[in-house]
Amino acid sequence: MKRIFTISDKVHGQGGISYCWQKSLGNYLATTGYDKWVRIYNRHGELIHELNLPGMCTGFGWDANGDTLAVINDHKGVIFLWNANNKKLTQVDVSFRDALSCLVWSKIDALLAVGTAKGNLIVYNHKTGRKSEVAGKHTKKITCGAWSKEGILALGGDDQILTLSTAEGDRIREVPIQGEISDLQFSKMKADEKNSTGETTLSLIKGKKMLYLYCLDDPENPIELNFSSKYGDIVEHKWYGDGYILIGFSKGFLISISTHLKEIGQEIFNVKDHKDALVSIAVSSSLNIVASAGDNCVKVHELLELKEMYAIIQLDDERSLDTIMWTDDGQLLAVSSAKGSLHIYLTKLPILGSAYMSRIAYLTSLLEVTVQDEIQQEPPTHIQVDVEPSFISIGPYHLAVGMNNRAWFYFFGEAGVQKLREKEYLGTVQSCCLNGDYAAVRFEGRVSLHMIDETRQDSDDKETARMFPDKDQKITCHDLTKDFLVYGTDKGTICYFYVNDWIEALEFRHVCGIRKLFPDPNGTRVAFIDDKADGHVLNPVNESTIEIPEISPKTVGILWDKYPLEKGVFITFDDEKIKTYIYNRETIKGPEVLKVGETHLPFGHVPLLLYQGELTLQTSSGSVQTILLNTHLFSQRDRRAGSSLSAEQLKECLNYCLILRRFHDAWGFCEQLVSKKSWMDLGKAAMHCLDVDYAIKVYREIGDVGMVMSLDSIKLIEDRNLLSGYLAMFMDDFNMAQELFLNSSNQVAALEMRRDLMHWDMALKLAKTLDERQIPYISKEYATQLEFLGDYPNALRHYEQGITKEDSNREHDEACAFGVARMSIRMGDLRRGITMAMKMPSATLKKECAAILENMKQYSEAAILYEKGLFHDKAATAYIRAKNWAKVGELLPQVKTPKIHGQYARAKEAEGRYKEAANAYETAKDWDNAIRVYLDHLQKPDEAIRIVRASQSTDGARMVAKFFEKLKDFSSAIQFLVLSKCNDEAFQLAQKHGHMEKYADIIGPDATPEDYSSIAVHFENEKNHYLAGKFFFLAGKHSQALNHLLNPTNGENADALNLAVDVVGQANDQQLTKHLIGYLMGDEDNMPKDFKYLFRLYMALKQYREAANTAIIIAREEQNGGSYRVAHDLLFEMYQELRKQKIKIPAEMVNNLMLLHSYTLVKIHNNLNNHMKAARMLIRIAKNISKFPAHVVQLLTSTVISCHKAGLKNSAFSYGAMLMRPEYRDQIPPKHKKKIESFIRKPEKSEIEEPRTPCPFCDSELPETELTCASCKNSLPFCIATGCHIVKQEMTLCPSCQFPAILPEFLRLLEAEEGRCPMCTGKVNTTSVEKITDINKILHLDDDSVE
């Protein structure tokens, strides 16, 4: 709220100030104080009149119309009356000589009631001048009073009596109050039944503590309401709404109560508005707000929602306040202070504003107009005007303000705003519009068009003024564009007056009167509202109108968007909603107006300017604010950096963009949605607006080649109807497309479209008028469709109509003839149809006609046509239905359908011709019947068994089983019972005749656990523990299975022990595992079993560490026994399994595998004549000769011989000397013994030094066969091709086993050993062997293994 002026405390002196606003209009404010002067100000704070009283003012007030101010004083019995219209003062003498104490005007009449200090009453009628004086109305001073709308006068005085009187002063009733009376008010209590009318309730404050409600209809039952002492004294109360009362209390509380009898005494609202004290409250019913004053501030609440704070006025220059009062319209609020100051605040301004393009002018104070252009970012200009305007208008260079019949024009010049001129009109101005040169002013049904500045130098070349209309009609609305004056009349006429040529350019007549009109910025379209509250858009070029859909009957105005690229967008608005529309000048449907969406209009706001979807609103507080229409939120969302919208929000934005033709924005949303439907919608929207190029761009984006080619082929068409027709057709609106085609230069396009769409009935109608040559072809297609739909009579007619009898159309005529033949049969003319089908060479026609006959149960005729057309299967079927078995037999060799053979077989079986029946059943693949015939009639079980084995027929197997059971061949019977899924019967038969083992073999993997359990129980009873254990295992009963398999009667049965290991491995049961391990270790019979069973058990239980240890033991035994290859393979497999499970491999396993592999390499190196490498490997073995006890002499002998061959004389001597020991000497083979003895007798101790290669870890040199580095102490991996330690260069891994090898040596070995790896013996393709460049892959191959 804005303070507009202040009356200083020096005006009336210290001691407070009293004041009252003029009723109704609120143009004047009367004030008085202890200086005995009454001063009257206008609403701008200008002093209008002063009145010096003979004594202190004891009361003053305005009449109901605000025409007269009455003033009384305590010194002289005179009533002063000041007329607001003529500013004259009159006096009314009173005969009573006591002081006048209060006055109160009637609410409806010019009646003034004045009370005196001794309780007398004067009632003065200001209209008639009649004065009624009533003595002794009260016994003491009359202090307050109130009038009801019914003319009842209520008075209260110091005698604590409430009196009710008539307008003449006659007493109606006296009510003793027994307390101080103040704040008398008439109103109406809230009631369920609205029987009583008028103000029937009188409220007053009793003794400042109680609210007293006196009902005139129930005078015997007044209501007294007491309140909590914490609120303090009652200061004031105000009625509002439907029987509600607001009460202000001295301690700052403001409460609301209802006068409804059910709610009496209940507080609806309670707030402590002020910290220390509340001094006054005031209600503005026009604005639905209430103000409370206290301390040094004023707080304003909404009456409809008291919790909502409307405004707070802080008076920092005052310490405490006194009273507050609104004008009747709520526009101004007066606040007085305890020291005598009076402050006037502007609460509500008249909402006056105007816009021209992006510039707006609006009232910001009673005498101030602000002009601003936020679009062009111009600073606001504040213009002080001479009068409080009732209208404002702005143009490109001028501003007009005015009131009544006068207007003031201002010019926006380089030097600032200049007052240009003042002009007076012949009536009260209703509206004013400006353009660059002219002003158009409407008053009393006429419009005056005149130049704004007639003193301009170029004004001589222009017409200066004209009055409209020329005819006998009343102008109801008008507007002025750059070139045109547009006005509407009560007769429904809209006229365009061309200002430049000073002529009338258009006169359009509507069906009813024009209420309001709103041209677009260029005047090329005008939206108007008629007397029926319907909205339309007029195109002045062709005088066509389009109705605005869903326009509100309460529409206040229409605004066009001033942004050049938003051409065609406009809004309509009422007091609550804003509706957005778009006018499309060119669409496939022609011009159209579409509703885009709705936006809520904030209460008390008036739209002023629409620019690019942003709506500038003017508020009642003299400010403007901008909102974005809901239909344009996509533009705001598009600008947000990093904003993310949901799919639904994106679709909503896309929809608005499409309707508003914002295709560029829509493209962005389509990219975000990644939906083909969105792109399709964009393409259709572009086509709808005839934007073919953009539609091509869209469909090219989504890869719709067909649509791109179609659009590209029509984009150069200049005929708008033809182009629109094609686009409507592409959008599947075929009826509109036809209408557009028929109105275009190429009407045949409508026929072509209907033909392509197979709308044959419409195509025929069009062909009759556009191209009769097309009728036969359309008739044929139409007949085909009718035939499909079952309309045979019309199909026959159109087939006959389609025959042209022209040689060039032979294929077409044949198709029509085919149709005639089919339809003739369907219509019952069998002879004609069959004859035509037989004469024509087409097999297809014969098949079609035969099918029709077959459906008509004409089987013989159908069979003939089928046979004629070489459809033997169908012919045979038809003959079967006709019971013509002879013809069926003739056709049977050509028939391939099993069903037909089956029917024929049944017929032959019935005749007793079983051989033919059996063959026919087999041909029909009816195996069960064929088996039955072979067994029951032909006694050929071999044929039946052949069929059963080939077809796997369960029913057939059951029949064969029964057959063998009769022959006492129980083994075969069991086999076929199992084959027929009759396991229970097979079991019983096997049990009964002692063929259970045969049954178990036959049943195989198809048995259920119950089947296996039954077999196991059988063998258990037979004391066959192995088989009982086997089948208990298959049944999943592991404990029973293990008990039987470990039965002592089995002995050391290898099959039983292996199966026991499988049982425990599958069961994974700790107790069973413990039992089996104890058995294998000999705990039960003190006879430990072979370690291989323990190894298999650990592997089955996935206990790989234990399995590894066991494998080492087994391998050691095999190695001790001389089975080196077995030991090697066992260790290798265990090695691979540990590596697979990522378990660290024991060093003993690695060393044993290395020694065994070295033994393997000896033979390979000897075969390759690489005696040095063979000798080195044998030396490695000889050093560990204790691990090869079975062949000590042989290995040492080989070592000596190989070393001698390789030139390792010293090594040969050393190991030869070992052979000469007594325990070995006699075991040396005779052929080598003498040679070795000669080595010993004549020793040569020369030795070729072993080559040294770098350690792959630390690069220290060491012998190539040494596998432990003396420098870094690392164990070195060995090459599986040479047995030497690996090096950093030229390394590889075997693709099969992933063991390292030196690449050249490995390839050479693979070539010699037929591609087999010496470690895993797997087949290796040399092309898959890759060089390893990173040695760490080999060195750390098993680093991820777990200890």
Side-chain angles (χ1 to χ4, degrees), residues 38 51 53 57-61 69-73 78-82 100 103 112:
V38 173
L51 173 61
L53 298 177
C57 178
T58 55
F60 62 163
L69 173 67
V71 183
I72 58 175
N73 65 91
V78 176
I79 302 172
F80 297 93
L81 299 174
W82 183 78
L100 305 181
L103 66 79
L112 175 65

PDB file of all heavy atoms in Angstrom, residues 38 51 53 57-61 69-73 78-82 100 103 112:
ATOM      1  N   VAL A  38     -13.422  22.538  11.174  1.00  0.00           N
ATOM      2  CA  VAL A  38     -13.687  21.371  10.318  1.00  0.00           C
ATOM      3  C   VAL A  38     -13.106  21.677   8.951  1.00  0.00           C
ATOM      4  O   VAL A  38     -13.436  22.723   8.356  1.00  0.00           O
ATOM      5  CB  VAL A  38     -15.190  21.061  10.198  1.00  0.00           C
ATOM      6  CG1 VAL A  38     -15.425  19.940   9.165  1.00  0.00           C
ATOM      7  CG2 VAL A  38     -15.765  20.660  11.537  1.00  0.00           C
ATOM      8  N   LEU A  51     -14.370  25.210   7.933  1.00  0.00           N
ATOM      9  CA  LEU A  51     -15.536  25.657   8.712  1.00  0.00           C
ATOM     10  C   LEU A  51     -15.093  25.846  10.157  1.00  0.00           C
ATOM     11  O   LEU A  51     -14.614  24.918  10.784  1.00  0.00           O
ATOM     12  CB  LEU A  51     -16.656  24.608   8.639  1.00  0.00           C
ATOM     13  CG  LEU A  51     -17.873  24.834   9.533  1.00  0.00           C
ATOM     14  CD1 LEU A  51     -18.584  26.144   9.185  1.00  0.00           C
ATOM     15  CD2 LEU A  51     -18.844  23.652   9.408  1.00  0.00           C
ATOM     16  N   LEU A  53     -16.062  26.370  13.874  1.00  0.00           N
ATOM     17  CA  LEU A  53     -17.219  26.086  14.713  1.00  0.00           C
ATOM     18  C   LEU A  53     -17.187  26.956  15.962  1.00  0.00           C
ATOM     19  O   LEU A  53     -16.107  27.325  16.456  1.00  0.00           O
ATOM     20  CB  LEU A  53     -17.210  24.610  15.128  1.00  0.00           C
ATOM     21  CG  LEU A  53     -17.299  23.568  13.990  1.00  0.00           C
ATOM     22  CD1 LEU A  53     -17.203  22.167  14.558  1.00  0.00           C
ATOM     23  CD2 LEU A  53     -18.578  23.724  13.197  1.00  0.00           C
ATOM     24  N   CYS A  57     -16.334  20.213  18.038  1.00  0.00           N
ATOM     25  CA  CYS A  57     -17.168  19.344  17.213  1.00  0.00           C
ATOM     26  C   CYS A  57     -17.504  18.088  18.004  1.00  0.00           C
ATOM     27  O   CYS A  57     -16.606  17.397  18.497  1.00  0.00           O
ATOM     28  CB  CYS A  57     -16.445  18.988  15.913  1.00  0.00           C
ATOM     29  SG  CYS A  57     -17.370  17.867  14.840  1.00  0.00           S
ATOM     30  N   THR A  58     -18.818  17.818  18.135  1.00  0.00           N
ATOM     31  CA  THR A  58     -19.242  16.614  18.854  1.00  0.00           C
ATOM     32  C   THR A  58     -19.717  15.506  17.918  1.00  0.00           C
ATOM     33  O   THR A  58     -20.012  14.400  18.360  1.00  0.00           O
ATOM     34  CB  THR A  58     -20.375  16.963  19.825  1.00  0.00           C
ATOM     35  OG1 THR A  58     -21.433  17.604  19.093  1.00  0.00           O
ATOM     36  CG2 THR A  58     -19.872  17.890  20.913  1.00  0.00           C
ATOM     37  N   GLY A  59     -19.766  15.789  16.645  1.00  0.00           N
ATOM     38  CA  GLY A  59     -20.154  14.755  15.699  1.00  0.00           C
ATOM     39  C   GLY A  59     -20.268  15.313  14.297  1.00  0.00           C
ATOM     40  O   GLY A  59     -20.654  16.473  14.108  1.00  0.00           O
ATOM     41  N   PHE A  60     -19.911  14.568  13.303  1.00  0.00           N
ATOM     42  CA  PHE A  60     -20.133  14.932  11.910  1.00  0.00           C
ATOM     43  C   PHE A  60     -20.212  13.659  11.082  1.00  0.00           C
ATOM     44  O   PHE A  60     -19.730  12.594  11.484  1.00  0.00           O
ATOM     45  CB  PHE A  60     -19.090  15.911  11.390  1.00  0.00           C
ATOM     46  CG  PHE A  60     -17.662  15.405  11.378  1.00  0.00           C
ATOM     47  CD1 PHE A  60     -16.695  16.043  10.614  1.00  0.00           C
ATOM     48  CD2 PHE A  60     -17.249  14.300  12.109  1.00  0.00           C
ATOM     49  CE1 PHE A  60     -15.386  15.608  10.593  1.00  0.00           C
ATOM     50  CE2 PHE A  60     -15.936  13.869  12.102  1.00  0.00           C
ATOM     51  CZ  PHE A  60     -15.012  14.516  11.345  1.00  0.00           C
ATOM     52  N   GLY A  61     -20.842  13.770   9.914  1.00  0.00           N
ATOM     53  CA  GLY A  61     -21.023  12.595   9.070  1.00  0.00           C
ATOM     54  C   GLY A  61     -21.671  12.949   7.758  1.00  0.00           C
ATOM     55  O   GLY A  61     -22.311  14.011   7.625  1.00  0.00           O
ATOM     56  N   LEU A  69     -22.573  16.943   4.163  1.00  0.00           N
ATOM     57  CA  LEU A  69     -21.836  16.711   5.402  1.00  0.00           C
ATOM     58  C   LEU A  69     -22.542  17.475   6.517  1.00  0.00           C
ATOM     59  O   LEU A  69     -22.766  18.687   6.401  1.00  0.00           O
ATOM     60  CB  LEU A  69     -20.388  17.190   5.285  1.00  0.00           C
ATOM     61  CG  LEU A  69     -19.557  17.150   6.570  1.00  0.00           C
ATOM     62  CD1 LEU A  69     -19.320  15.715   7.016  1.00  0.00           C
ATOM     63  CD2 LEU A  69     -18.237  17.894   6.395  1.00  0.00           C
ATOM     64  N   ALA A  70     -22.920  16.766   7.582  1.00  0.00           N
ATOM     65  CA  ALA A  70     -23.559  17.400   8.737  1.00  0.00           C
ATOM     66  C   ALA A  70     -22.535  17.496   9.862  1.00  0.00           C
ATOM     67  O   ALA A  70     -21.807  16.533  10.124  1.00  0.00           O
ATOM     68  CB  ALA A  70     -24.767  16.595   9.179  1.00  0.00           C
ATOM     69  N   VAL A  71     -22.535  18.682  10.560  1.00  0.00           N
ATOM     70  CA  VAL A  71     -21.579  18.919  11.630  1.00  0.00           C
ATOM     71  C   VAL A  71     -22.337  19.525  12.814  1.00  0.00           C
ATOM     72  O   VAL A  71     -23.162  20.434  12.638  1.00  0.00           O
ATOM     73  CB  VAL A  71     -20.453  19.877  11.185  1.00  0.00           C
ATOM     74  CG1 VAL A  71     -19.428  20.043  12.301  1.00  0.00           C
ATOM     75  CG2 VAL A  71     -19.792  19.380   9.907  1.00  0.00           C
ATOM     76  N   ILE A  72     -22.065  19.043  14.045  1.00  0.00           N
ATOM     77  CA  ILE A  72     -22.652  19.625  15.252  1.00  0.00           C
ATOM     78  C   ILE A  72     -21.524  19.939  16.226  1.00  0.00           C
ATOM     79  O   ILE A  72     -20.407  19.403  16.087  1.00  0.00           O
ATOM     80  CB  ILE A  72     -23.667  18.675  15.905  1.00  0.00           C
ATOM     81  CG1 ILE A  72     -23.001  17.321  16.249  1.00  0.00           C
ATOM     82  CG2 ILE A  72     -24.876  18.449  14.993  1.00  0.00           C
ATOM     83  CD1 ILE A  72     -23.896  16.358  16.995  1.00  0.00           C
ATOM     84  N   ASN A  73     -21.835  20.817  17.213  1.00  0.00           N
ATOM     85  CA  ASN A  73     -20.824  21.181  18.201  1.00  0.00           C
ATOM     86  C   ASN A  73     -21.461  21.263  19.576  1.00  0.00           C
ATOM     87  O   ASN A  73     -22.677  21.166  19.707  1.00  0.00           O
ATOM     88  CB  ASN A  73     -20.146  22.493  17.822  1.00  0.00           C
ATOM     89  CG  ASN A  73     -21.106  23.661  17.854  1.00  0.00           C
ATOM     90  OD1 ASN A  73     -21.257  24.328  18.883  1.00  0.00           O
ATOM     91  ND2 ASN A  73     -21.826  23.932  16.736  1.00  0.00           N
ATOM     92  N   VAL A  78     -26.941  24.434  16.645  1.00  0.00           N
ATOM     93  CA  VAL A  78     -27.047  24.603  15.194  1.00  0.00           C
ATOM     94  C   VAL A  78     -26.438  23.389  14.506  1.00  0.00           C
ATOM     95  O   VAL A  78     -25.388  22.889  14.922  1.00  0.00           O
ATOM     96  CB  VAL A  78     -26.313  25.898  14.742  1.00  0.00           C
ATOM     97  CG1 VAL A  78     -26.341  26.006  13.221  1.00  0.00           C
ATOM     98  CG2 VAL A  78     -26.939  27.119  15.374  1.00  0.00           C
ATOM     99  N   ILE A  79     -27.123  22.959  13.454  1.00  0.00           N
ATOM    100  CA  ILE A  79     -26.588  21.873  12.610  1.00  0.00           C
ATOM    101  C   ILE A  79     -26.054  22.521  11.338  1.00  0.00           C
ATOM    102  O   ILE A  79     -26.809  23.197  10.607  1.00  0.00           O
ATOM    103  CB  ILE A  79     -27.669  20.835  12.261  1.00  0.00           C
ATOM    104  CG1 ILE A  79     -28.285  20.230  13.530  1.00  0.00           C
ATOM    105  CG2 ILE A  79     -27.086  19.726  11.379  1.00  0.00           C
ATOM    106  CD1 ILE A  79     -29.485  19.339  13.264  1.00  0.00           C
ATOM    107  N   PHE A  80     -24.762  22.362  11.082  1.00  0.00           N
ATOM    108  CA  PHE A  80     -24.149  22.889   9.865  1.00  0.00           C
ATOM    109  C   PHE A  80     -24.196  21.809   8.784  1.00  0.00           C
ATOM    110  O   PHE A  80     -23.803  20.655   9.001  1.00  0.00           O
ATOM    111  CB  PHE A  80     -22.693  23.296  10.129  1.00  0.00           C
ATOM    112  CG  PHE A  80     -22.548  24.405  11.131  1.00  0.00           C
ATOM    113  CD1 PHE A  80     -22.362  24.141  12.478  1.00  0.00           C
ATOM    114  CD2 PHE A  80     -22.624  25.735  10.725  1.00  0.00           C
ATOM    115  CE1 PHE A  80     -22.233  25.154  13.401  1.00  0.00           C
ATOM    116  CE2 PHE A  80     -22.490  26.761  11.659  1.00  0.00           C
ATOM    117  CZ  PHE A  80     -22.297  26.479  12.993  1.00  0.00           C
ATOM    118  N   LEU A  81     -24.660  22.211   7.595  1.00  0.00           N
ATOM    119  CA  LEU A  81     -24.771  21.289   6.458  1.00  0.00           C
ATOM    120  C   LEU A  81     -23.963  21.840   5.291  1.00  0.00           C
ATOM    121  O   LEU A  81     -24.204  22.966   4.835  1.00  0.00           O
ATOM    122  CB  LEU A  81     -26.234  21.116   6.047  1.00  0.00           C
ATOM    123  CG  LEU A  81     -27.175  20.541   7.117  1.00  0.00           C
ATOM    124  CD1 LEU A  81     -28.613  20.560   6.624  1.00  0.00           C
ATOM    125  CD2 LEU A  81     -26.777  19.121   7.484  1.00  0.00           C
ATOM    126  N   TRP A  82     -22.965  21.048   4.843  1.00  0.00           N
ATOM    127  CA  TRP A  82     -22.120  21.489   3.717  1.00  0.00           C
ATOM    128  C   TRP A  82     -22.420  20.614   2.516  1.00  0.00           C
ATOM    129  O   TRP A  82     -22.375  19.388   2.565  1.00  0.00           O
ATOM    130  CB  TRP A  82     -20.636  21.353   4.098  1.00  0.00           C
ATOM    131  CG  TRP A  82     -19.698  21.858   3.022  1.00  0.00           C
ATOM    132  CD1 TRP A  82     -19.391  23.155   2.755  1.00  0.00           C
ATOM    133  CD2 TRP A  82     -18.950  21.051   2.091  1.00  0.00           C
ATOM    134  NE1 TRP A  82     -18.500  23.229   1.728  1.00  0.00           N
ATOM    135  CE2 TRP A  82     -18.204  21.937   1.281  1.00  0.00           C
ATOM    136  CE3 TRP A  82     -18.838  19.677   1.878  1.00  0.00           C
ATOM    137  CZ2 TRP A  82     -17.359  21.506   0.268  1.00  0.00           C
ATOM    138  CZ3 TRP A  82     -17.998  19.247   0.868  1.00  0.00           C
ATOM    139  CH2 TRP A  82     -17.259  20.156   0.070  1.00  0.00           C
ATOM    140  N   LEU A 100     -25.494  19.632  21.600  1.00  0.00           N
ATOM    141  CA  LEU A 100     -25.734  18.481  20.711  1.00  0.00           C
ATOM    142  C   LEU A 100     -24.604  17.476  20.916  1.00  0.00           C
ATOM    143  O   LEU A 100     -23.426  17.837  20.879  1.00  0.00           O
ATOM    144  CB  LEU A 100     -25.790  18.944  19.255  1.00  0.00           C
ATOM    145  CG  LEU A 100     -26.817  20.064  18.950  1.00  0.00           C
ATOM    146  CD1 LEU A 100     -26.789  20.417  17.478  1.00  0.00           C
ATOM    147  CD2 LEU A 100     -28.223  19.624  19.350  1.00  0.00           C
ATOM    148  N   LEU A 103     -24.754  12.575  16.169  1.00  0.00           N
ATOM    149  CA  LEU A 103     -25.643  12.581  15.004  1.00  0.00           C
ATOM    150  C   LEU A 103     -25.425  11.302  14.219  1.00  0.00           C
ATOM    151  O   LEU A 103     -24.352  10.701  14.259  1.00  0.00           O
ATOM    152  CB  LEU A 103     -25.406  13.826  14.133  1.00  0.00           C
ATOM    153  CG  LEU A 103     -24.074  14.003  13.395  1.00  0.00           C
ATOM    154  CD1 LEU A 103     -23.994  13.181  12.132  1.00  0.00           C
ATOM    155  CD2 LEU A 103     -23.903  15.472  13.043  1.00  0.00           C
ATOM    156  N   LEU A 112     -31.646  12.800   9.177  1.00  0.00           N
ATOM    157  CA  LEU A 112     -30.547  13.011  10.103  1.00  0.00           C
ATOM    158  C   LEU A 112     -31.087  13.008  11.525  1.00  0.00           C
ATOM    159  O   LEU A 112     -32.001  13.770  11.846  1.00  0.00           O
ATOM    160  CB  LEU A 112     -29.835  14.339   9.818  1.00  0.00           C
ATOM    161  CG  LEU A 112     -28.729  14.735  10.787  1.00  0.00           C
ATOM    162  CD1 LEU A 112     -27.566  13.757  10.718  1.00  0.00           C
ATOM    163  CD2 LEU A 112     -28.249  16.166  10.491  1.00  0.00           C
TER     164      LEU A 112
END
